[in-house]
């Protein structure tokens, strides 16, 4: 019998059931996977946040770096603009967005140099841009002579080169020549004369020859001039400065110092005075005169407009101010003597004795007589110049009904310093005496002008003086162990004054009279004007002890030394002759004693050899003069 079988499903066997098929395990696996995904999402989010933070930090740092780079570039551009691209060009360089070449194409090195006009070049005026009036990075156009600032693409010199087609410029500080708008530097020996005129320089050998070699030069216009004796331009009323500058320019120690020393680290006043001195003695000048405009501007600024080119001042006031400011600008001390070249050349010592005037002197009438029984105060003061007082002029006319022009010798007014002549000042009687050592140069101020509450007066007295061999020994306090030998001084410079009628100077055709001076008696009652001249000695021509030259502004002429005293001398500079006074006098005395000693020894030897002293036959002077009758005798 057949039997049927039915498949009965097996009961669930947990052991044989697969793990993946378990719902519980599936749930656990899903939970694990969900936790893993959540953790991975959190880690991914953290990584993304970290990357975002790093990117933001990198971006911020990059932005900061870019800002720093931009600031550095801006600073570098500003420095380049300030320095005005004066550094040498290496290869190619970007300036203001444009590329500037290192030089012109080959074969065109002298491009634009034929357009330079030396006749229009004048480097004497203050270095200010003609557009912005700035003194920083000033360039001079070598075609028209005008001053402009900078040479970059946004500067006035660059625009001038484009507008006027003037391409050659020189830096007034470095004397380097550039071509604009290309901007390359020009190296050409044909420009050396222009560079020398901008800033003349000298060697010790050249300076030593200034007083020994006579040189005549011609400027570009064919005018003859002698270096050191050129006219100074009177811009308006600065003739008082011109005469002082010329007088100081002919004091050899002072002149040599300002021509040879490096004064680039000194104040502007010293540098500009040094430049003016070097231009006065320039033998390669383009014109036969010099303008003191640059020095005048600095003096006006330093003196708070006390001395300007529009108002005439007193030369002695200016000289006193100028010497003191030069002394301090050169690092000189107010307490230590000889601390600058100014004091080494001009400073001396003066002994001043003073005694108070009492009522007894008024009763006896001896106000100016020192009373030995009373106290006498003695002071030692230092001076740069000595004041000489003139005697009062006469009040009446002579028998011809003309004004008397009095004359007085220089030695008479120098008696103020002999230690015996007494003066009254502020209730005290005073007397003065010069002391050793005397300065190499003595400056005398002859006091001609006096002011009171109502009027200013001028003393026209003429002072007569020797041009050579002024003996200062009678006015010097004798030093211990020395004898009273002469101390010779020779005249170096003489500044004269003349009163000129303003109306006559303003008349048509009075230009020549203005240069030579107009007589003060042309129109009575008119307002008078002072005219200043300076007379200096040309040391290179020693025939007859030098040729004298008189300079008034642009007018330069030779004068005879016999006529120097005819003007109203106002300031005089005297030079001590070498080998006089002080140590030189002591050396001469020692040599003289040694000479007499040798002479006595030779006399004794001769007496010993011959046995008797040799005698000289007496001279019959009557017979001598009879024999010389009709012959010319020159007494020396």
């Amino acid at each position: 019998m057949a039997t049927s079988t039915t498949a009965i499903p097996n009961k669930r066997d947990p052991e044989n059931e697969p793990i993946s098929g378990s719902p519980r395990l599936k749930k656990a696996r899903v939970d694990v996977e969900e936790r893993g995904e959540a953790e991975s999402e959190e880690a991914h989010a953290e990584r993304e946040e970290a990357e975002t933070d790093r990117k933001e930090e990198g971006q911020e740092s990059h932005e900061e770096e870019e800002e720093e780079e931009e600031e550095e570039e801006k600073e570098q551009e500003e420095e380049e603009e300030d320095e005005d691209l004066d550094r040498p060009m290496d290869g190619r360089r970007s300036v203001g967005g444009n590329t500037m070449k290192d030089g012109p194409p080959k074969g065109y090195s002298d491009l634009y140099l034929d357009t330079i006009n030396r006749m229009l070049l004048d480097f004497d005026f203050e270095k200010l841009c003609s557009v912005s009036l700035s003194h920083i990075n000033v360039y001079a156009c070598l075609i028209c002579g005008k001053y402009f600032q900078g040479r970059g693409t946004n500067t006035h010199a660059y625009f001038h080169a484009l507008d006027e087609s003037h391409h050659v410029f020189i830096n007034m500080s470095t004397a380097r020549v550039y071509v604009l708008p290309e901007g390359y530097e020009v190296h050409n020996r044909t420009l050396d004369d222009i560079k020398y005129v901008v800033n003349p320089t000298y060697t010790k050998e050249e300076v030593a020859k200034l007083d020994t070699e006579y040189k005549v030069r011609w400027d570009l216009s064919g005018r003859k001039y002698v270096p050191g004796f050129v006219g100074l331009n009177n811009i308006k009323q600065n003739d008082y400065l011109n005469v002082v500058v010329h007088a100081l320019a002919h004091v050899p120690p002072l002149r040599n110092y300002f021509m040879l020393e490096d004064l680039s680290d000194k104040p502007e006043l010293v540098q500009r005075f040094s430049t003016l001195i070097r231009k006065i003695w320039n033998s390669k000048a383009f014109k036969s005169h010099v303008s003191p405009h640059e020095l005048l501007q600095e003096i006006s600024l330093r003196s708070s407009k006390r001395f300007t080119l529009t108002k005439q001042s007193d030369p002695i006031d200016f000289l006193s101010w100028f010497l003191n400011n030069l002394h301090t600008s050169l690092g000189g001390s107010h307490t230590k003597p000889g601390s600058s070249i100014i004091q080494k050349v001009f400073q001396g010592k003066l002994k001043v004795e003073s005694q108070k005037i009492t009522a007894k002197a008024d009763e006896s009438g001896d106000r100016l007589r020192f009373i030995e029984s009373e106290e006498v105060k003695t002071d030692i003061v230092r001076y740069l110049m000595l004041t000489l007082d003139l005697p009062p002029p006469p009040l009446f006319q002579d028998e011809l009904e003309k004004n008397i022009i009095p004359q007085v010798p220089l030695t008479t007014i120098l008696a103020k310093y002999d230690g015996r002549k007494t003066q009254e000042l502020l209730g005290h009687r005073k007397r003065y005496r010069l002391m050793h050592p005397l300065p190499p140069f003595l400056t005398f101020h002859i006091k001609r002008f006096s002011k009171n509450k109502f009027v200013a007066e001028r003393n026209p007295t003429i002072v007569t003086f020797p041009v050579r061999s002024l003996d200062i020994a009678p006015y010097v306090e004798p030093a211990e162990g020395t004898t009273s030998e002469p101390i010779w001084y020779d005249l170096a410079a003489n500044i004269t004054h003349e009163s000129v009628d303003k109306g006559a100077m303003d008349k048509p055709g009075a230009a020549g009279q203005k240069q030579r001076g107009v007589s003060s008696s042309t129109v009575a009652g008119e307002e008078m004007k002072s005219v200043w001249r300076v007379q200096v000695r040309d040391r290179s021509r020693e025939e007859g002890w030098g040729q004298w030259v008189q300079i008034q502004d642009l007018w330069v002429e030779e004068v005879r030394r016999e006529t120097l005293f005819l003007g109203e001398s106002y300031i005089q500079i005297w030079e001590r002759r070498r080998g006089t006074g002080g140590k030189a006098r002591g050396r001469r005395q020692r040599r003289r004693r040694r000479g007499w000693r040798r002479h006595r020894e030779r006399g004794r030897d001769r007496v010993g050899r011959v046995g008797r002293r040799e005698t000289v036959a007496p001279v019959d002077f009557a017979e001598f003069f009879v024999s010389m009758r009709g012959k010319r005798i020159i007494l020396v």
Side-chain angles (χ1 to χ4, degrees):
M1 178 173 113
T3 57
S4 59
T5 59
T6 305
I8 298 174
N10 296 328
K11 293 182 180 180
R12 294 180 179 177
D13 187 1
E15 296 178 359
N16 298 326
E17 184 179 4
I19 297 176
S20 59
S22 174
R24 181 168 52 82
L25 293 177
K26 286 183 179 180
K27 183 179 179 181
R29 188 176 62 185
V30 169
D31 293 339
V32 171
E33 290 178 356
E34 288 179 354
R35 285 198 302 270
E37 291 178 358
E39 291 177 358
S40 62
E41 288 178 359
E42 290 177 0
H44 183 66
E46 290 178 357
R47 286 194 299 271
E48 287 183 352
E49 288 180 1
E51 290 178 1
T52 304
D53 293 339
R54 285 196 299 272
K55 288 180 180 179
E56 290 178 356
E57 291 177 358
Q59 186 175 0
E60 290 178 358
S61 62
H62 182 65
E63 291 177 355
E64 291 178 357
E65 291 177 357
E66 289 182 350
E67 291 178 357
E68 291 178 357
E69 290 178 358
E70 291 178 357
E71 291 179 357
E72 290 178 358
E73 289 177 358
K74 289 181 180 179
E75 291 177 358
Q76 187 175 359
E77 290 177 359
E78 291 177 357
E79 290 177 358
E80 289 179 353
E81 290 179 358
D82 291 340
E83 295 176 358
D84 203 32
L85 311 178
D86 286 336
R87 297 185 301 271
M89 300 181 183
D90 299 328
R92 298 168 66 88
R93 185 174 57 176
S94 177
V95 179
N98 296 335
T99 302
M100 305 180 73
K101 294 184 178 180
D102 191 17
K106 187 176 181 180
Y108 295 89
S109 59
D110 56 350
L111 195 64
Y112 304 123
L113 297 187
D114 58 337
T115 62
I116 295 176
N117 189 354
R118 287 172 170 79
M119 296 290 292
L120 299 180
L121 301 183
D122 188 352
F123 303 124
D124 296 339
F125 289 90
E126 190 175 12
K127 310 303 184 291
L128 293 178
C129 175
S130 58
V131 179
S132 64
L133 299 181
S134 173
H135 64 277
I136 301 174
N137 293 329
V138 176
Y139 285 76
C141 175
L142 297 184
I143 289 84
C144 63
K146 295 181 180 179
Y147 291 162
F148 297 96
Q149 183 183 15
R151 63 182 179 92
T153 55
N154 295 321
T155 60
H156 301 294
Y158 188 88
F159 295 145
H160 179 74
L162 295 177
D163 295 340
E164 303 295 336
S165 295
H166 294 174
H167 300 284
V168 190
F169 294 80
I170 185 171
N171 188 300
M172 298 307 297
S173 299
T174 62
R176 298 167 68 177
V177 181
Y178 297 89
V179 169
L180 297 182
E182 288 82 357
Y184 59 83
E185 184 177 357
V186 180
H187 300 279
N188 197 308
R189 295 188 64 182
T190 60
L191 302 174
D192 290 346
D193 60 336
I194 299 178
K195 296 179 180 179
Y196 188 85
V197 172
V198 171
N199 184 28
T201 55
Y202 302 85
T203 62
K204 291 184 178 180
E205 292 76 14
E206 293 173 343
V207 172
K209 294 179 181 179
L210 293 179
D211 295 334
T212 58
E213 294 184 0
Y214 177 65
K215 297 180 180 180
V216 178
R217 295 291 184 266
W218 284 264
D219 62 3
L220 297 180
S221 300
R223 298 188 184 92
K224 185 176 71 172
Y225 73 96
V226 179
F229 302 89
V230 297
L232 287 179
N233 188 19
N234 187 359
I235 302 173
K236 197 166 186 181
Q237 292 188 10
N238 58 281
D239 54 347
Y240 69 94
L241 176 138
N242 295 348
V243 294
V244 171
V245 168
H246 259 304
L248 296 179
H250 288 81
V251 175
L254 194 68
R255 176 200 64 192
N256 299 348
Y257 178 86
F258 282 98
M259 292 179 70
L260 295 176
E261 293 294 327
D262 182 15
L263 304 173
S264 57
D265 58 340
K266 300 298 181 181
E268 195 69 20
L269 179 68
V270 175
Q271 295 184 31
R272 295 192 179 187
F273 180 62
S274 173
T275 302
L276 182 58
I277 294 294
R278 287 183 277 118
K279 287 183 177 181
I280 289 176
W281 288 93
N282 185 12
S283 60
K284 304 175 183 178
F286 290 165
K287 55 190 188 319
S288 59
H289 64 274
V290 181
S291 177
H293 180 265
E294 196 172 8
L295 178 63
L296 268 167
Q297 294 296 96
E298 181 64 21
I299 289 173
S300 176
L301 180 64
R302 289 283 296 268
S303 64
S304 301
K305 296 187 177 181
R306 178 184 174 187
F307 303 104
T308 63
L309 57 86
T310 58
K311 181 182 178 182
Q312 193 176 53
S313 300
D314 194 335
I316 194 63
D317 293 340
F318 171 71
L319 178 61
S320 176
W321 178 90
F322 192 53
L323 291 180
N324 282 281
N325 278 265
L326 282 179
H327 168 68
T328 54
S329 299
L330 290 170
S333 171
H334 292 287
T335 57
K336 184 179 178 181
S339 55
S340 73
I341 186 64
I342 303 298
Q343 290 186 347
K344 292 178 182 178
V345 173
F346 295 108
Q347 192 180 64
K349 292 190 299 183
L350 184 67
K351 176 183 176 183
V352 182
E353 295 179 335
S354 61
Q355 189 179 72
K356 188 175 181 180
I357 300 176
T358 60
K360 295 181 180 179
D362 293 333
E363 296 175 358
S364 60
D366 295 333
R367 294 182 60 86
L368 298 181
R369 185 173 63 85
F370 270 75
I371 303 176
E372 302 299 334
S373 60
E374 297 185 5
E375 180 184 2
V376 178
K377 184 179 179 182
T378 303
D379 295 324
I380 305 298
V381 298
R382 298 188 179 273
Y383 63 88
L384 291 178
M385 58 190 70
L386 299 173
T387 302
L388 306 179
D389 301 320
L390 291 174
L395 299 177
F396 305 101
Q397 296 179 340
D398 59 3
E399 60 274 6
L400 300 178
E401 296 184 356
K402 293 183 179 181
N403 291 329
I404 301 175
I405 301 179
Q407 299 183 17
V408 60
L410 179 62
T411 53
T412 300
I413 57 180
L414 266 175
K416 171 183 177 180
Y417 298 99
D418 61 0
R420 296 186 298 271
K421 188 175 181 180
T422 310
Q423 292 184 338
E424 181 180 353
L425 181 64
L426 300 177
H428 288 75
R429 57 176 72 94
K430 294 179 178 289
R431 56 190 179 192
Y432 309 92
R433 193 75 184 265
L434 303 179
M435 298 187 67
H436 286 292
L438 291 175
F441 287 82
L442 276 175
T443 303
F444 295 153
H445 165 221
I446 302 175
K447 191 174 181 180
R448 293 190 176 274
F449 300 97
S450 60
K451 293 183 180 180
N452 53 31
K453 295 181 180 180
F454 308 100
V455 68
E457 297 180 349
R458 175 180 64 91
N459 192 331
T461 302
I462 292 177
V463 178
T464 59
F465 52 87
V467 179
R468 291 195 69 186
S469 304
L470 176 65
D471 187 13
I472 305 295
Y475 318 104
V476 182
E477 183 82 12
E480 295 182 1
T482 61
T483 59
S484 57
E485 290 191 357
I487 304 176
W488 302 117
Y489 274 78
D490 302 325
L491 185 64
N494 182 37
I495 296 177
T496 63
H497 169 266
E498 183 179 0
S499 291
V500 178
D501 179 65
K502 271 189 176 181
M505 294 181 65
D506 296 336
K507 290 180 181 179
Q513 292 180 343
K514 179 179 179 180
Q515 295 293 340
R516 297 175 181 269
V518 184
S519 174
S520 59
S521 60
T522 52
V523 181
E526 291 285 347
E527 186 179 359
M528 308 302 289
K529 180 181 182 298
S530 294
V531 174
W532 303 100
R533 301 183 182 90
V534 61
Q535 299 163 344
V536 290
R537 179 167 63 96
D538 188 355
R539 300 168 184 265
S540 62
R541 291 185 286 177
E542 290 296 338
E543 302 86 4
W545 195 74
Q547 177 64 50
W548 285 84
V549 179
Q550 180 172 275
I551 305 174
Q552 179 196 343
D553 300 335
L554 298 179
W555 187 266
V556 181
E557 61 180 351
E558 295 182 354
V559 294
R560 297 182 60 86
R561 64 171 183 163
E562 294 83 3
T563 62
L564 296 181
F565 67 90
L566 296 180
E568 298 178 4
S569 298
Y570 191 62
I571 300 175
Q572 292 184 339
I573 299 179
W574 292 79
E575 179 182 3
R576 188 176 65 193
R577 192 180 298 174
R578 292 183 179 180
T580 62
K583 297 180 180 179
R585 184 168 59 251
R587 288 194 297 269
R588 287 198 307 274
Q589 293 176 353
R590 288 192 294 272
R591 286 197 299 268
R592 188 179 295 111
R593 286 193 292 267
R594 288 196 297 269
W596 280 109
R597 191 179 300 112
R598 287 194 295 268
H599 177 72
R600 288 195 300 270
E601 291 174 356
R602 285 196 297 268
R604 295 192 190 98
D605 294 341
R606 186 161 54 249
V607 170
R609 289 195 305 269
V610 180
R612 60 182 179 84
R613 187 178 298 273
E614 298 179 359
T615 59
V616 180
V619 178
D620 189 349
F621 287 99
E623 182 180 355
F624 170 76
F625 283 111
V626 169
S627 63
M628 296 299 295
R629 183 178 301 171
K631 297 182 181 180
R632 186 177 181 182
I633 301 175
I634 300 176
L635 299 179
V636 180

